Amino acid sequence: MSFIVSSRLHTSICAYSLRIPTVAFSWDDKIQTFYGHIGCPERCLDIDLLQNDYGYLSTLISKAMAEGYDEQLYTANLKSVADSLASLNTTLCLTPR
């Protein structure tokens, strides 16, 4: 099984979309918010806290790989994105050009 360790929001979003377990180093609130939204806030790490404890990172990666993502939350998130895109499409199609 694959996994990704990232410090970029869009990498984490793409990995989540493909159901690839991720662990992220947080440098921005957006990354923390995203991981909270997908139900995995513990996978978003402050890099300063890891400087002397790389074993924790290894344990967290193993745990993320074993657990994957909550399927119900994943499905709900996909539906929310699809609904938002449909609404946007309707708005754009109704907007005079």
Side-chain angles (χ1 to χ4, degrees):
M1 177 181 238
S2 299
F3 71 91
I4 293 176
V5 177
S6 174
S7 64
R8 308 299 295 178
L9 176 62
H10 290 99
T11 301
S12 295
I13 292 170
C14 290
Y16 178 70
S17 298
L18 297 169
R19 295 182 177 156
I20 299 171
T22 60
V23 171
F25 296 119
S26 176
W27 57 272
D28 188 302
D29 289 342
K30 293 182 290 187
I31 297 171
Q32 293 171 338
T33 300
F34 172 73
Y35 277 84
H37 184 75
I38 65 170
C40 301
E42 73 283 356
R43 295 186 193 175
C44 185
L45 309 170
D46 181 341
I47 196 164
D48 293 330
L49 299 177
L50 291 176
Q51 289 184 357
N52 296 319
D53 190 6
Y54 297 108
Y56 178 71
L57 177 59
S58 177
T59 300
L60 191 57
I61 290 169
S62 296
K63 186 174 186 236
M65 290 176 64
E67 292 177 357
Y69 294 107
D70 179 301
E71 283 299 314
Q72 288 181 329
L73 185 56
Y74 180 84
T75 301
N77 285 334
L78 287 182
K79 182 178 180 336
S80 176
V81 169
D83 291 347
S84 295
L85 290 173
S87 177
L88 178 61
N89 184 50
T90 300
T91 301
L92 291 174
C93 289
L94 295 175
T95 303
R97 294 177 189 196

